[in-house]
Amino acid sequence: MEKKILEVKGLKTYFYTEDGIAAAVDGVDFEVAKKETLGIVGESGCGKSVTALSIMGLLESPPAQIAAGEIIFKGEDLLKKSDKERRNIRGNEISMIFQEPMTSLNPVLSVGNQIGEVLRIHQRLKKQEAADKTIELLDLVGIPLPERRIKEFPHQLSGGIRQRVMIAIALACNPSLIIADEPTTALDVTIQAQILELMKDLKEKLNTAIMLITHDLGLIAEVAQNVMVMYAGQIVEYADVDRLFEQTMHPYTIGLLESIPGVDLEIDRLDVIKGLVPNLYDLPQGCRFHPRCKDARTVCKEKEPKLYDLKGHKVRCFKYSGTW
């Protein structure tokens, strides 16, 4: 296996509010190797984006606080670094592609200014050098007429071009790790395919690792090497992509897969996972998924299962405890 770029150990990110304490991320462990794409899936409210923002150091405190754990990037714990040291890493060695480019890009600055700012701050490039590098980056991510595009503003660009601009910003400093948070959600299917192909090509060219956060298991099957399924702030299943799809173990992951439309036109209704992700201020006792689980037993309602490691395939379910 390639050398580890990132190791997250026992990460707990809580939100302290007037309503109580919300355990948005509750004891998460995972790693990302060089040139790996790790897919992170789960419904909204399961802790995927909060995990990413914890790594980036972009959570507002208060109310957010990293209560425990380690975020080890290239052998050093980011949580032990000063705000200045983390700012030097953020955008330089770790970059993030945000979910909606129209709201992530500054509407009153040209594309060239926004990419150039990253280059001037982190790479100490002069104005003309930054402009030249910006044109190279726009060309690299497949934007036509880059010399013209650097003068344009986000509202003048299509959704696909805006997302390519976001990727160009993320790539500006040749980061070792890119965190892509739902990078294709707002795009049509054709543009989604183009963006995914672009990310795969750039990963190979630049030896960059990617954390891909998405709801789309089809997308994960296409681009990821390993998959982490999250539910209510915890990892419920973790395996390489082939094992996860061929030997799906956790009832939640099974439910997600069964809810994907197939090619069978005789199906009247899609399968659904009944109920909702639990309120983080009022988590159920025992297994957090048991109120929605078809296979739940008494033990599931009374005790919280640990993450069982079955020869590299990890699953948080009493079915695999040996006492089921």
Side-chain angles (χ1 to χ4, degrees):
M1 189 178 192
E2 293 276 5
K3 184 179 179 181
K4 296 173 188 175
I5 292 291
L6 178 74
E7 289 182 86
V8 175
K9 299 180 180 180
L11 179 65
K12 295 186 178 185
T13 303
Y14 296 168
F15 288 81
Y16 296 84
T17 71
E18 293 179 355
D19 296 322
I21 301 173
V25 177
D26 198 13
V28 167
D29 298 89
F30 66 92
E31 59 189 45
V32 184
K34 185 178 179 181
K35 294 181 69 174
E36 175 191 349
T37 296
L38 171 68
I40 304 178
V41 297
E43 296 167 279
S44 295
C46 285
K48 307 183 304 297
S49 293
V50 175
T51 300
L53 293 171
S54 299
I55 294 167
M56 293 295 292
L58 290 174
L59 290 168
E60 187 175 351
S61 180
Q65 182 178 324
I66 295 178
E70 298 174 288
I71 301 172
I72 300 171
F73 177 68
K74 292 185 175 180
E76 297 184 48
D77 190 352
L78 297 181
L79 300 181
K80 293 180 179 178
K81 292 187 175 293
S82 66
D83 289 342
K84 182 178 179 181
E85 288 173 323
R86 293 197 74 175
R87 280 197 300 272
N88 289 336
I89 292 171
R90 184 169 55 238
N92 192 19
E93 297 188 67
I94 306 176
S95 292
M96 189 162 180
I97 303 169
F98 293 94
Q99 196 168 138
E100 174 46 69
M102 193 60 195
T103 55
S104 301
L105 292 169
N106 191 325
V108 299
L109 292 178
S110 69
V111 165
N113 278 333
Q114 294 188 61
I115 300 175
E117 181 182 29
V118 177
L119 295 166
R120 291 192 298 273
I121 290 172
H122 289 298
Q123 301 291 306
R124 300 289 190 266
L125 297 186
K126 294 179 180 178
K127 188 174 181 179
Q128 187 56 52
E129 291 174 327
D132 293 341
K133 180 66 174 177
T134 297
I135 292 171
E136 288 179 24
L137 286 164
L138 293 181
D139 184 57
L140 179 66
V141 298
I143 295 178
L145 304 174
E147 296 85 357
R148 192 184 80 188
R149 296 294 190 185
I150 64 170
K151 300 174 184 177
E152 294 182 338
F153 293 81
H155 72 273
Q156 296 175 287
L157 308 174
S158 68
I161 295 295
R162 284 197 294 266
Q163 192 59 281
R164 287 171 187 266
V165 170
M166 290 295 296
I167 294 172
I169 292 172
L171 292 172
C173 300
N174 295 326
S176 300
L177 174 67
I178 293 176
I179 301 173
D181 188 0
E182 300 279 2
T184 61
T185 297
L187 307 176
D188 63 55
V189 176
T190 304
I191 302 301
Q192 281 187 22
Q194 292 174 3
I195 295 297
L196 289 176
E197 196 60 37
L198 170 65
M199 290 177 66
K200 285 197 289 186
D201 289 346
L202 292 174
K203 185 184 79 166
E204 292 302 317
K205 287 179 184 177
L206 304 175
N207 294 327
T208 300
I210 297 175
M211 280 176 56
L212 177 61
I213 298 169
T214 182
H215 294 216
D216 189 342
L217 280 161
L219 188 156
I220 289 293
E222 185 177 346
V223 302
Q225 284 77 56
N226 293 295
V227 189
M228 182 170 93
V229 183
M230 292 190 71
Y231 184 78
Q234 296 180 327
I235 297 171
V236 295
E237 192 161 3
Y238 192 135
D240 69 69
V241 68
D242 292 332
R243 286 183 69 179
L244 187 104
F245 282 91
E246 292 171 8
Q247 303 172 30
T248 314
M249 290 183 169
H250 198 279
Y252 178 59
T253 314
I254 293 170
L256 291 176
L257 288 170
E258 289 178 345
S259 66
I260 298 173
V263 294
D264 188 348
L265 300 179
E266 296 180 5
I267 295 175
D268 294 325
R269 295 176 65 89
L270 288 174
D271 287 323
V272 297
I273 304 173
K274 294 182 179 180
L276 299 170
V277 176
N279 186 334
L280 294 176
Y281 295 108
D282 187 24
L283 292 168
Q285 183 179 347
C287 173
R288 296 180 183 184
F289 185 63
H290 88 256
R292 307 173 70 187
C293 183
K294 299 174 186 176
D295 303 327
R297 296 186 179 182
T298 301
V299 66
C300 306
K301 302 173 185 179
E302 295 175 347
K303 297 180 181 179
E304 186 173 305
K306 68 178 184 178
L307 193 65
Y308 299 100
D309 191 344
L310 308 175
K311 297 181 180 179
H313 192 150
K314 299 178 182 179
V315 58
R316 190 183 297 276
C317 182
F318 283 116
K319 275 187 179 181
Y320 309 99
S321 64
T323 59
W324 183 255

